[in-house]
Amino acid sequence: MLNSLLLAEIQNDFWAGAIPIIQTVLFFIAIVCALTIIVTVLMQSNNNSEGMDIISGSQESYYAQNKGSSRDGKLKIITIVMSSIAAVCVILFFITELFIRTA
């Protein structure tokens, strides 16, 4: 009985000290992801003229149309991955906040 109480006390002390550190790490990861998302979105090219090509009748070769797509494709993938990581970090941050409030 005494051993189980001591073990529970040690576990509570561990989580009481570890959760603020986990929250800080999650917060900074979310901030880094947010800054990366901002930079990658600003670096992507603007493709607003796609509809105007039909009206003006301009024809470009396949290479001219897709010369930047590999870079834009990579930036799009980076944006999606970073936004997913940021979303998971924010959710985990608030889950740890619930643990603090219920304890």
Side-chain angles (χ1 to χ4, degrees):
M1 181 75 174
L2 183 62
N3 288 338
S4 63
L5 289 175
L6 287 174
L7 184 60
E9 184 75 24
I10 291 170
Q11 287 177 347
N12 287 339
D13 288 342
F14 172 75
W15 286 112
I19 286 181
I21 296 169
I22 293 170
Q23 281 186 327
T24 305
V25 169
L26 290 171
F27 181 73
F28 283 114
I29 290 172
I31 288 177
V32 168
C33 288
L35 293 174
T36 306
I37 291 168
I38 291 169
V39 170
T40 56
V41 167
L42 290 175
M43 289 176 61
Q44 291 177 9
S45 64
N46 190 2
N47 294 330
N48 286 339
S49 65
E50 290 176 355
M52 296 303 290
D53 290 341
I54 296 172
I55 296 171
S56 65
S58 66
Q59 295 178 357
E60 294 182 13
S61 67
Y62 180 76
Y63 176 73
Q65 289 177 354
N66 296 317
K67 65 182 176 183
S69 67
S70 64
R71 179 177 174 255
D72 283 342
K74 289 177 186 176
L75 289 173
K76 184 185 280 188
I77 289 171
I78 291 170
T79 304
I80 291 169
V81 168
M82 289 296 151
S83 60
S84 301
I85 292 171
V88 169
C89 286
V90 168
I91 290 169
L92 289 176
F93 180 85
F94 284 110
I95 288 173
T96 57
E97 188 68 29
L98 288 175
F99 280 137
I100 290 174
R101 291 179 190 258
T102 58

